[in-house]
PDB file of all heavy atoms in Angstrom:
ATOM      1  N   SER S  18       8.905   0.914  21.331  1.00 48.00           N
ATOM      2  CA  SER S  18       9.068   0.109  20.126  1.00 48.00           C
ATOM      3  C   SER S  18       7.722  -0.175  19.464  1.00 48.00           C
ATOM      4  O   SER S  18       7.570  -0.079  18.251  1.00 48.00           O
ATOM      5  CB  SER S  18       9.765  -1.212  20.458  1.00 48.00           C
ATOM      6  OG  SER S  18      11.042  -0.966  20.997  1.00 48.00           O
ATOM      7  N   VAL S  19       6.721  -0.558  20.278  1.00 42.00           N
ATOM      8  CA  VAL S  19       5.392  -0.843  19.729  1.00 42.00           C
ATOM      9  C   VAL S  19       4.787   0.402  19.108  1.00 42.00           C
ATOM     10  O   VAL S  19       4.192   0.363  18.035  1.00 42.00           O
ATOM     11  CB  VAL S  19       4.473  -1.410  20.824  1.00 42.00           C
ATOM     12  CG1 VAL S  19       3.039  -1.528  20.314  1.00 42.00           C
ATOM     13  CG2 VAL S  19       4.972  -2.780  21.275  1.00 42.00           C
ATOM     14  N   ALA S  20       4.945   1.543  19.779  1.00 44.00           N
ATOM     15  CA  ALA S  20       4.402   2.794  19.237  1.00 44.00           C
ATOM     16  C   ALA S  20       5.047   3.126  17.908  1.00 44.00           C
ATOM     17  O   ALA S  20       4.392   3.572  16.961  1.00 44.00           O
ATOM     18  CB  ALA S  20       4.633   3.939  20.229  1.00 44.00           C
ATOM     19  N   GLY S  21       6.367   2.892  17.801  1.00 45.00           N
ATOM     20  CA  GLY S  21       7.050   3.175  16.546  1.00 45.00           C
ATOM     21  C   GLY S  21       6.574   2.288  15.422  1.00 45.00           C
ATOM     22  O   GLY S  21       6.364   2.738  14.298  1.00 45.00           O
ATOM     23  N   VAL S  22       6.395   1.003  15.712  1.00 40.00           N
ATOM     24  CA  VAL S  22       5.922   0.077  14.682  1.00 40.00           C
ATOM     25  C   VAL S  22       4.513   0.432  14.239  1.00 40.00           C
ATOM     26  O   VAL S  22       4.187   0.421  13.056  1.00 40.00           O
ATOM     27  CB  VAL S  22       5.973  -1.379  15.201  1.00 40.00           C
ATOM     28  CG1 VAL S  22       5.298  -2.312  14.220  1.00 40.00           C
ATOM     29  CG2 VAL S  22       7.417  -1.803  15.435  1.00 40.00           C
ATOM     30  N   LEU S  23       3.642   0.751  15.185  1.00 40.00           N
ATOM     31  CA  LEU S  23       2.272   1.105  14.828  1.00 40.00           C
ATOM     32  C   LEU S  23       2.228   2.378  14.007  1.00 40.00           C
ATOM     33  O   LEU S  23       1.390   2.540  13.122  1.00 40.00           O
ATOM     34  CB  LEU S  23       1.423   1.270  16.101  1.00 40.00           C
ATOM     35  CG  LEU S  23       1.169  -0.036  16.867  1.00 40.00           C
ATOM     36  CD1 LEU S  23       0.354   0.265  18.129  1.00 40.00           C
ATOM     37  CD2 LEU S  23       0.468  -1.071  15.998  1.00 40.00           C
ATOM     38  N   ALA S  24       3.146   3.311  14.295  1.00 39.00           N
ATOM     39  CA  ALA S  24       3.187   4.540  13.507  1.00 39.00           C
ATOM     40  C   ALA S  24       3.567   4.234  12.069  1.00 39.00           C
ATOM     41  O   ALA S  24       3.006   4.783  11.121  1.00 39.00           O
ATOM     42  CB  ALA S  24       4.196   5.522  14.116  1.00 39.00           C
ATOM     43  N   LEU S  25       4.532   3.309  11.881  1.00 38.00           N
ATOM     44  CA  LEU S  25       4.916   2.932  10.533  1.00 38.00           C
ATOM     45  C   LEU S  25       3.791   2.195   9.822  1.00 38.00           C
ATOM     46  O   LEU S  25       3.654   2.255   8.603  1.00 38.00           O
ATOM     47  CB  LEU S  25       6.172   2.053  10.581  1.00 38.00           C
ATOM     48  CG  LEU S  25       7.464   2.751  11.014  1.00 38.00           C
ATOM     49  CD1 LEU S  25       8.580   1.714  11.146  1.00 38.00           C
ATOM     50  CD2 LEU S  25       7.855   3.832  10.029  1.00 38.00           C
ATOM     51  N   ALA S  26       2.995   1.453  10.592  1.00 37.00           N
ATOM     52  CA  ALA S  26       1.923   0.663   9.988  1.00 37.00           C
ATOM     53  C   ALA S  26       0.671   1.480   9.724  1.00 37.00           C
ATOM     54  O   ALA S  26      -0.292   0.977   9.161  1.00 37.00           O
ATOM     55  CB  ALA S  26       1.564  -0.502  10.916  1.00 37.00           C
ATOM     56  N   GLY S  27       0.644   2.734  10.134  1.00 36.00           N
ATOM     57  CA  GLY S  27      -0.542   3.550   9.964  1.00 36.00           C
ATOM     58  C   GLY S  27      -0.877   3.762   8.501  1.00 36.00           C
ATOM     59  O   GLY S  27      -0.010   3.699   7.627  1.00 36.00           O
ATOM     60  N   PRO S  28      -2.142   4.000   8.176  1.00 38.00           N
ATOM     61  CA  PRO S  28      -2.536   4.145   6.782  1.00 38.00           C
ATOM     62  C   PRO S  28      -1.982   5.396   6.148  1.00 38.00           C
ATOM     63  O   PRO S  28      -1.806   6.415   6.805  1.00 38.00           O
ATOM     64  CB  PRO S  28      -4.081   4.212   6.874  1.00 38.00           C
ATOM     65  CG  PRO S  28      -4.346   4.750   8.237  1.00 38.00           C
ATOM     66  CD  PRO S  28      -3.266   4.182   9.105  1.00 38.00           C
ATOM     67  N   ALA S  29      -1.642   5.288   4.861  1.00 42.00           N
ATOM     68  CA  ALA S  29      -1.176   6.454   4.140  1.00 42.00           C
ATOM     69  C   ALA S  29      -2.383   7.294   3.746  1.00 42.00           C
ATOM     70  O   ALA S  29      -3.519   6.959   4.048  1.00 42.00           O
ATOM     71  CB  ALA S  29      -0.400   6.005   2.898  1.00 42.00           C
ATOM     72  N   SER S  30      -2.089   8.415   3.088  1.00 53.00           N
ATOM     73  CA  SER S  30      -3.156   9.292   2.640  1.00 53.00           C
ATOM     74  C   SER S  30      -4.125   8.491   1.779  1.00 53.00           C
ATOM     75  O   SER S  30      -3.733   7.834   0.824  1.00 53.00           O
ATOM     76  CB  SER S  30      -2.555  10.445   1.842  1.00 53.00           C
ATOM     77  OG  SER S  30      -3.560  11.249   1.295  1.00 53.00           O
ATOM     78  N   ALA S  31      -5.406   8.523   2.136  1.00 78.00           N
ATOM     79  CA  ALA S  31      -6.411   7.680   1.471  1.00 78.00           C
ATOM     80  C   ALA S  31      -6.928   8.359   0.219  1.00 78.00           C
ATOM     81  O   ALA S  31      -7.929   9.055   0.248  1.00 78.00           O
ATOM     82  CB  ALA S  31      -7.551   7.379   2.439  1.00 78.00           C
ATOM     83  N   HIS S  32      -6.214   8.174  -0.901  1.00 92.00           N
ATOM     84  CA  HIS S  32      -6.707   8.710  -2.161  1.00 92.00           C
ATOM     85  C   HIS S  32      -6.785   7.596  -3.196  1.00 92.00           C
ATOM     86  O   HIS S  32      -6.329   6.483  -2.972  1.00 92.00           O
ATOM     87  CB  HIS S  32      -5.799   9.841  -2.656  1.00 92.00           C
ATOM     88  CG  HIS S  32      -4.344   9.510  -2.651  1.00 92.00           C
ATOM     89  ND1 HIS S  32      -3.490   9.918  -1.647  1.00 92.00           N
ATOM     90  CD2 HIS S  32      -3.595   8.787  -3.509  1.00 92.00           C
ATOM     91  CE1 HIS S  32      -2.269   9.472  -1.899  1.00 92.00           C
ATOM     92  NE2 HIS S  32      -2.298   8.783  -3.010  1.00 92.00           N
ATOM     93  N   VAL S  33      -7.385   7.886  -4.331  1.00 96.00           N
ATOM     94  CA  VAL S  33      -7.522   6.894  -5.392  1.00 96.00           C
ATOM     95  C   VAL S  33      -6.141   6.594  -5.967  1.00 96.00           C
ATOM     96  O   VAL S  33      -5.386   7.507  -6.315  1.00 96.00           O
ATOM     97  CB  VAL S  33      -8.466   7.401  -6.490  1.00 96.00           C
ATOM     98  CG1 VAL S  33      -8.536   6.397  -7.633  1.00 96.00           C
ATOM     99  CG2 VAL S  33      -9.855   7.645  -5.920  1.00 96.00           C
TER     100      VAL S  33
END
Side-chain angles (χ1 to χ4, degrees):
S18 299
V19 172
V22 172
L23 292 178
L25 291 174
S30 175
H32 49 260
V33 177

